[in-house]
Amino acid sequence: MSQITENLILRKADISEVPQIWNILQDAIEQRRLDGSTQWQDGYPNELTIHTDIENDHGYVLTENNIILAYAAILFDKEPAYEDIEGQWLTDGDYAAVHRVAVSKLAKGKGIATKLFKKIEGLSIEHNIYSIKVDTNFDNIPMLKILDRLKYTYCGEVFFRGGARKAYEKKLA
């Protein structure tokens, strides 16, 4: 992989890519554990989660020269967990929800997660969606830094899979 990531492509994941995506997620799960985070330490996400994402047209990969650098689930429909927030979303209309963001260890330190979110913003606008909502664990410092860097607004807490999560939204121009 080159040092300069200019040819990044965000596209729907193919079911044949599940093993590669699962390897990336396993590395992210291990990194969360090493960071002392409780996020993703209970068997979720797993390979079935990825299969389901792809089957539901939610699974996306960020590639460079056909090498998968990152994975995310992007939902262009309502996220049930976001319907009840302790706090207030910035908008009430349509939005894209982003889940299961993971970056390949081959791409660590290259700003790939930030570039992934910028591509997701562009994809959302292509879908005429002008809001992105995302949640993360309170102890996921790397994701919290990315959301801050990209000017996401903290909106409150949502409850996802039995636990409170920090909820963020960004309005797109």
Side-chain angles (χ1 to χ4, degrees):
M1 190 180 83
S2 66
Q3 290 295 85
I4 301 171
T5 49
E6 296 297 328
N7 299 317
L8 295 174
I9 296 170
L10 179 64
R11 63 167 173 78
K12 287 189 178 179
D14 186 83
I15 205 77
S16 68
E17 296 170 319
V18 168
Q20 291 169 274
I21 295 166
W22 177 231
N23 284 337
I24 290 169
L25 273 164
Q26 284 180 300
D27 289 340
I29 290 165
E30 177 62 8
Q31 188 61 56
R32 296 275 46 79
R33 187 187 70 76
L34 293 172
D35 289 347
S37 175
T38 59
Q39 187 173 4
W40 293 357
Q41 302 304 304
D42 61 356
Y44 167 91
N46 53 48
E47 279 186 276
L48 180 59
T49 311
I50 302 164
H51 271 278
T52 303
D53 284 345
I54 294 170
E55 288 167 0
N56 291 327
D57 286 329
H58 298 153
Y60 284 79
V61 289
L62 184 69
T63 66
E64 181 185 44
N65 301 323
N66 295 317
I67 297 169
I68 298 173
L69 301 181
Y71 175 78
I74 307 168
L75 290 69
F76 289 105
D77 36 331
K78 300 288 183 209
E79 166 55 69
Y82 291 177
E83 296 302 305
D84 189 25
I85 184 171
E86 286 186 7
Q88 177 134 8
W89 293 112
L90 301 177
T91 65
D92 293 326
D94 293 339
Y95 60 89
V98 180
H99 294 298
R100 295 178 283 290
V101 173
V103 174
S104 168
K105 61 184 177 186
L106 298 173
K108 291 286 184 202
K110 298 182 186 302
I112 294 299
T114 299
K115 291 173 183 175
L116 170 66
F117 269 94
K118 288 191 176 292
K119 291 281 190 183
I120 293 169
E121 290 174 13
L123 182 66
S124 296
I125 291 169
E126 285 175 26
H127 280 83
N128 293 313
I129 304 286
Y130 297 94
S131 166
I132 297 178
K133 295 179 180 179
V134 63
D135 67 87
T136 192
N137 250 37
F138 289 81
D139 61 4
N140 188 338
I141 303 305
M143 181 59 75
L144 293 170
K145 286 181 179 176
I146 290 163
L147 295 172
D148 181 59
R149 183 178 314 121
L150 292 173
K151 309 289 188 230
Y152 278 71
T153 300
Y154 175 71
C155 295
E157 292 180 20
V158 293
F159 293 85
F160 194 70
R161 299 185 59 253
R165 316 260 296 171
K166 291 184 110 175
Y168 291 82
E169 183 177 5
K170 182 174 183 177
K171 291 195 284 188
L172 305 174

